[in-house]
Amino acid sequence: MEAAKGVLSQLSALEVRAKRRRVTSPSHADALRTRLDALTAQRERLKAEIHTLRDVEKRKMELNNRCPEEEEEAEDTMTGKLLHLMAKQTQLKELLRVHNITGGYNVAKTREGEGVCLTLATGYEGAYLDTYDLELDTRPALKIGRHNVPPFIPLGDLGERAGLQDDVRGFLDALGAHLNAFVGRREQLRLVKELHPSVTVMESNAPCTILVLMLSVPGENKTVLCTLNYTDRTRYLPTEVRFDCEDEKLPESPEWKNNRKLFMEMPVDRALRAMKDTTDQIG
Amino acid sequence: MEDQMRSLLRRLVRRIPSQVLKVTLKKWGRLTAAQQQNIDSTPTKWALTDQLLAISEENGWTVRHVAELEMIYVIDKPNQGMWHTLRLVDPNSDAQTVDLIQFKEQFKSHLSEISRHVSVKMKKNADEAVWIRIAWGDSFSRPNNMKPTYVVHYLQTPYVFVTRLTSKKKPLLYQSLVRATRHRAIKDANLSGQNLSAIRDLLMQHYQQVFPGRYPSPLGERTQITSNPHVDQEQAEEGVKRLQMACEAFGAGKLPQLQSVVYKMETKFKDPKNQRMTQREEPFRCVVTFKSSNILESLRHCAASGIASTPLTPLLSSIPRKGSNYFVVTDNIPRAASQVSQQPN
């Protein structure tokens, strides 16, 4: 009688289970109740947290949107002040993160997110000089748009070499190096013309990579032609210095070898001043 | 030879106004003090011409001398005649290191190789521009100094400006330029005008460009200053936004004096009311020309005052962006709207 056995065994199993449940039900109910309380408490806590974070976010948006001229509203309550500080902290943390990503360059979004505009500042010897702007189109692919970088800076080359798609920071750093060096060389030329009127500038060119100066040696009535070549455009010091003079032995003399060292190691205007001070060579 | 010198001198004196001529002669410096004084005190042009011819005999001037004088005058007053722009493309690896002496030598040698009897004069101006004057001749005749070609090039930039170049001599000049500047090709840049300084400033960006994201408020202040304090602008913000967009497209402050823009239209006629014209298959060919004493400032004003809708159509904003004032506008077949495409003419 298998069927009856099956039914009977099932019924007895059910009976056993019902007995067990009746026995454990109070503690089970208690456990469930405590669990219910714990979950409710957690829900309240999470709700409060969400509320606070929303408040902080709102204050942060207000901080972001506020013009610098408007005054800050005074916070009355302690919680209000605390929330205000939390908002400021999150704002600053985000700014720092953006600063890290963009590598310290001023970035502005343009054309509804289709492009970014970067500003590169240049400086020389502690003084801020020109700023250059560059627009990059971000969609469909990263491409250089409008810019006011001078035409002799090889923008296209730098973009290809550094891999504009993969390494924007590398490209920007290389461009910054080129621009800073160019501005440095241009400043040196300007200072030479301003501070050393006795030295004649025979030749210079737009990217300031060649400089030919005519120096006269007083007392000996000789002129020396000094050629400075800046083949490495990322440096503001020359890569090659050459002296030409009718007297062929002059460039080989120890003092002119020293002068050559001066030109290779110092900016032009300072090298000229050093020459003037030490030996009163140029007139 | 002497005849050419005299006729060239006569023509030069006729072209140049007396005051300018006297200043140019002084700059040239080939007259003695007494001669210069004589010139300065001569009132009429006719007397001036005779005097100069006499002095030229005295000093033994040749055509080269007078060509020099002409060059000085053209460099001083370049905004006449029609200048066309060329652009060098595909630089070789050593294009960036071409220096002045190298360029001069290479250009002269290449040009004399491919063209007989040319007379070339090169001069570097203080603003790093290299000026070239070419008098063309051929196997049978001497260089014709009455119709010289002038070329201006800024080293290490891809731009070359030419005036008075005949189409026969074009390939010769192009080839010499390409070889001397170590590039692989040269093409027309679709920018021409009478005012050399304007087209040069446009290409070399010698005007104040405006980029987004940097301090938009100064422009806003500027609009407020000019308006009447008794008048309250309802849509002042819109005005500021339009001004910002106009300045971003064209630039701020004084703009290069471009004088005309030409659009060659090859688009289909579009007018829903005119069925007969719109049914035609072929494009409606016409040429639209804008002329003004300063086209860029006028267009900027149009955009800022709302006459031209903002954001600006690429037809207008391409002028400074591409540095061109000749456009061929075609319909792009896959898309319904017409697009700007630039083709060499």
Side-chain angles (χ1 to χ4, degrees):
Chain A
M1 301 244 250
E2 286 178 356
K5 203 168 154 194
V7 170
L8 279 175
S9 59
Q10 279 222 345
L11 278 172
S12 57
L14 280 169
E15 206 181 358
V16 165
R17 225 188 296 159
K19 265 199 206 147
R20 211 185 305 139
R21 202 178 296 148
R22 249 179 276 128
V23 166
T24 63
S25 87
S27 56
H28 192 59
D30 282 334
L32 285 175
R33 219 168 278 133
T34 40
R35 191 137 180 266
L36 179 66
D37 289 333
L39 284 172
T40 324
Q42 195 184 26
R43 188 187 69 175
E44 294 303 317
R45 247 198 339 266
L46 286 171
K47 263 195 186 163
E49 248 185 72
I50 290 176
H51 185 76
T52 321
L53 282 173
R54 277 213 188 115
D55 199 1
V56 168
E57 188 69 29
K58 198 178 70 163
R59 279 160 197 272
K60 195 191 66 168
M61 297 303 275
E62 271 172 32
L63 274 175
N64 275 340
N65 294 338
R66 186 190 297 152
C67 295
E69 293 100 47
E70 283 176 33
E71 287 179 4
E72 286 197 11
E73 297 161 8
E75 290 287 344
D76 300 334
T77 60
M78 272 308 290
T79 37
K81 285 201 180 110
L82 187 62
L83 287 172
H84 186 75
L85 283 174
M86 282 177 71
K88 269 204 143 165
Q89 190 200 27
T90 20
Q91 188 202 30
L92 287 171
K93 266 202 221 164
E94 282 185 5
L95 272 178
L96 195 60
R97 197 161 148 259
V98 169
H99 194 261
N100 274 338
I101 294 177
T102 58
Y105 297 106
N106 277 347
V107 186
K109 211 157 69 146
T110 155
R111 287 192 292 131
E112 292 106 40
E114 294 270 330
V116 261
C117 183
L118 299 138
T119 311
L120 293 137
T122 53
Y124 175 69
E125 306 249 308
Y128 267 106
L129 294 166
D130 297 340
T131 40
Y132 295 98
D133 305 278
L134 177 68
E135 265 188 25
L136 292 173
D137 300 327
T138 47
R139 271 179 250 157
L142 214 55
K143 201 168 63 109
I144 302 174
R146 224 157 52 97
H147 61 88
N148 62 355
V149 172
F152 41 76
I153 306 267
L155 207 58
D157 270 354
L158 287 176
E160 277 166 29
R161 214 181 306 157
L164 192 57
Q165 308 297 328
D166 320 311
D167 188 14
V168 186
R169 282 289 301 280
F171 162 69
L172 289 174
D173 290 341
L175 180 62
H178 267 88
L179 284 171
N180 270 297
F182 159 64
V183 164
R185 294 193 298 262
R186 199 183 56 185
E187 268 305 289
Q188 286 177 50
L189 180 61
R190 191 187 67 87
L191 287 168
V192 164
K193 285 190 180 157
E194 201 178 290
L195 303 173
H196 300 273
S198 54
V199 174
T200 336
V201 176
M202 300 294 289
E203 192 188 322
S204 63
N205 63 350
C208 298
T209 49
I210 291 192
L211 192 58
V212 180
L213 304 166
M214 189 158 79
L215 318 163
S216 54
V217 182
E220 292 180 47
N221 205 17
K222 284 192 222 150
T223 53
V224 180
L225 214 61
C226 171
T227 311
L228 300 157
N229 268 321
Y230 299 81
T231 38
D232 186 359
R233 276 137 180 265
T234 54
R235 295 178 58 219
Y236 63 85
L237 290 174
T239 46
E240 191 201 316
V241 178
R242 205 179 67 224
F243 294 120
D244 293 300
C245 180
E246 311 112 32
D247 173 10
E248 279 163 16
K249 292 206 215 90
L250 192 73
E252 299 299 319
S253 60
E255 51 197 340
W256 281 93
K257 282 208 164 132
N258 192 31
N259 289 338
R260 193 169 169 277
K261 213 160 72 84
L262 286 177
F263 277 110
M264 291 283 283
E265 287 168 12
M266 284 199 271
V268 185
D269 53 310
R270 275 210 289 232
L272 286 173
R273 173 127 32 96
M275 274 174 65
K276 235 188 199 155
D277 291 340
T278 56
T279 57
D280 202 28
Q281 277 274 323
I282 50 173
Chain B
M1 185 68 161
E2 191 157 292
D3 267 341
Q4 222 194 48
M5 189 272 290
R6 291 166 76 85
S7 42
L8 186 61
L9 188 56
R10 237 189 285 256
R11 213 175 67 147
L12 209 59
V13 177
R14 221 178 345 177
R15 245 178 82 188
I16 310 177
S18 313
Q19 273 311 104
V20 178
L21 182 59
K22 291 176 185 170
V23 170
T24 317
L25 282 168
K26 199 175 284 188
K27 219 188 255 190
W28 188 35
R30 282 201 189 257
L31 297 171
T32 62
Q35 289 168 337
Q36 185 69 46
Q37 222 175 10
N38 269 341
I39 292 282
D40 282 339
S41 53
T42 319
T44 64
K45 255 290 180 73
W46 282 24
L48 203 55
T49 321
D50 291 332
Q51 274 234 310
L52 270 177
L53 284 173
I55 295 180
S56 72
E57 299 251 354
E58 236 178 83
N59 294 4
W61 289 343
T62 60
V63 182
R64 290 192 80 84
H65 292 121
V66 188
E68 229 175 59
L69 179 64
E70 186 193 74
M71 200 157 167
I72 298 183
Y73 168 64
V74 175
I75 295 181
D76 249 355
K77 301 253 179 279
N79 297 337
Q80 35 189 302
M82 201 49 143
W83 289 90
H84 301 277
T85 319
L86 306 167
R87 177 175 256 203
L88 296 156
V89 289
D90 283 338
N92 286 341
S93 48
D94 51 351
Q96 288 288 327
T97 54
V98 172
D99 69 343
L100 180 65
I101 302 179
Q102 193 182 349
F103 172 72
K104 275 183 170 175
E105 284 172 10
Q106 298 257 316
F107 182 79
K108 275 194 184 152
S109 68
H110 280 138
L111 195 58
S112 9
E113 255 177 50
I114 50 184
S115 168
R116 301 279 188 88
H117 288 146
V118 265
S119 162
V120 179
K121 251 191 180 0
M122 299 176 85
K123 185 168 160 42
K124 179 158 172 251
N125 212 11
D127 64 346
E128 313 292 341
V130 182
W131 281 76
I132 311 175
R133 179 187 191 273
I134 307 174
W136 304 94
D138 52 31
S139 337
F140 308 109
S141 59
R142 280 235 162 81
N144 184 357
N145 271 292
M146 303 300 248
K147 298 207 176 120
T149 302
Y150 278 94
V151 179
V152 183
H153 175 51
Y154 288 81
L155 285 176
Q156 270 90 43
T157 65
Y159 310 119
V160 182
F161 307 98
V162 282
T163 182
R164 290 201 248 162
L165 179 66
T166 57
S167 42
K168 243 185 10 172
K169 307 291 178 186
K170 255 192 205 177
L172 304 175
L173 179 65
Y174 285 11
Q175 198 181 11
S176 321
L177 279 170
V178 164
R179 305 237 310 250
T181 56
R182 322 285 297 142
H183 281 74
R184 271 185 224 133
I186 188 170
K187 63 176 192 179
D188 196 352
N190 284 332
L191 178 66
S192 46
Q194 268 206 335
N195 202 326
L196 174 67
S197 10
I199 57 182
R200 180 202 56 207
D201 288 343
L202 185 66
L203 280 181
M204 314 268 276
Q205 297 167 348
H206 286 166
Y207 57 96
Q208 192 189 353
Q209 282 188 306
V210 174
F211 285 87
R214 272 228 284 162
Y215 320 125
S217 40
L219 285 173
E221 281 165 18
R222 223 177 286 161
T223 42
Q224 277 152 28
I225 291 171
T226 50
S227 61
N228 195 331
H230 295 295
V231 173
D232 192 20
Q233 293 257 342
E234 269 300 312
Q235 293 186 315
E237 299 155 13
E238 308 267 323
V240 169
K241 268 197 228 155
R242 279 200 302 260
L243 181 59
Q244 171 77 12
M245 285 210 227
C247 286
E248 270 176 36
F250 292 106
K254 217 157 161 303
L255 296 177
Q257 278 187 318
L258 205 58
Q259 277 158 351
S260 78
V261 181
V262 176
Y263 295 93
K264 188 164 156 202
M265 313 288 286
E266 285 176 7
T267 52
K268 284 183 70 168
F269 196 89
K270 283 185 187 66
D271 183 5
K273 297 188 213 133
N274 194 336
Q275 274 298 324
R276 197 137 61 98
M277 291 299 286
T278 39
Q279 270 170 5
R280 285 189 175 199
E281 280 303 316
E282 325 86 55
F284 183 72
R285 290 172 200 274
C286 68
V287 173
V288 178
T289 311
F290 289 93
K291 278 203 169 133
S292 158
S293 54
N294 191 336
I295 255 238
L296 293 172
E297 277 194 20
S298 335
L299 288 174
R300 183 180 64 183
H301 183 257
C302 281
S305 57
I307 298 173
S309 57
T310 45
L312 272 177
T313 157
L315 285 168
L316 291 177
S317 57
S318 309
I319 305 171
R321 185 143 180 179
K322 298 217 165 95
S324 264
N325 68 351
Y326 178 83
F327 297 96
V328 176
V329 183
T330 57
D331 281 321
N332 210 1
I333 309 297
R335 287 223 243 144
S338 63
Q339 266 205 345
V340 173
S341 73
Q342 212 170 320
Q343 289 164 22
N345 50 343

